[in-house]
Amino acid sequence: MKYILTFTFIVSVVMLFTSASRAEMVEFPQEELSRESVLPIFDQPEAVKKRTVPFADRYQLEGFAGMGLSDPFYNAYPVGIEALYHLNDIHAAGLRVAWVASSQTSYVPQIQQLPNANSIPFASAPSMKYFALGEYEFTPYYGKISLTKQNVMNLSISGTVFGGAVGMDAETSPGFGVGLNERFLFTRNLGIKIDLRAMFYQQTDVVVITPAKRNVVNLFLTVGAVYFLPQL
């Protein structure tokens, strides 16, 4: 009995290794194997691996238009240009100039219907006419995005501080502020830029009994076309 059990065990081990040696190897295509970092399949993978749009030592021109978001009496519509010089990929300095068209908001007729509101000289309320601002831009983030998994779009996020002059109907005020913008770059030279800025300045308050200067803050949202001049 002992020899039978031993023989049976030996036969089982031999059959096990024999079946294992006959197992077929299954191979999967390389693109179907998971990796630590999974990327879409692009026709030009080098566009993902490197920085396609360098900023360093390049001039950037922009034409933009937008609107003011927080003035209670006037809708402001700036149209202007911006010129920046990028010292490197992170730091830039430049000038932003705009002409501003204005129209009274819908709040003015509503306020005029209130008792004693006819005495408020809304026609004398100052409206912004232009601004000219020097600015510094800090760009800590540059990345890429693909919406179709076939093409790569470059993008950057920047913060801005600025200061200069704000012109109104019959007065000029120092202005300064901060902003946040994002660029979407379609090629090495072309893109669009979305910009949100908070601008601080002074203007005459006509609502109080004795009109006087007051500090105000106005938010501006602009969208512009960006062009990077080729490097010399």
Side-chain angles (χ1 to χ4, degrees), residues 94-106:
L95 182 67
R96 187 178 180 91
V97 179
W99 173 78
V100 183
S102 301
S103 63
Q104 284 190 338
T105 68
S106 59

Side-chain angles (χ1 to χ4, degrees), residues 80-131:
I81 59 175
E82 179 185 69
L84 286 175
Y85 175 67
H86 292 267
L87 305 172
N88 50 47
D89 287 332
I90 298 177
H91 305 286
L95 182 67
R96 187 178 180 91
V97 179
W99 173 78
V100 183
S102 301
S103 63
Q104 284 190 338
T105 68
S106 59
Y107 296 111
V108 173
Q110 298 177 27
I111 295 174
Q112 289 176 328
Q113 295 177 3
L114 299 175
N116 302 321
N118 289 329
S119 61
I120 301 176
F122 286 108
S124 301
S127 61
M128 186 180 294
K129 296 300 182 183
Y130 70 88
F131 57 76

Side-chain angles (χ1 to χ4, degrees), residues 171-183:
E171 57 188 78
T172 303
S173 169
F176 64 94
V178 295
L180 184 68
N181 67 71
E182 183 167 4
R183 297 183 189 87

Side-chain angles (χ1 to χ4, degrees), residues 4 7 14 16 37 49 64 71 104 113 125 131 147 204 230:
I4 296 176
F7 178 79
V14 171
L16 178 63
S37 178
K49 299 177 183 178
F64 64 87
D71 191 312
Q104 284 190 338
Q113 295 177 3
F131 57 76
L147 301 179
T204 302

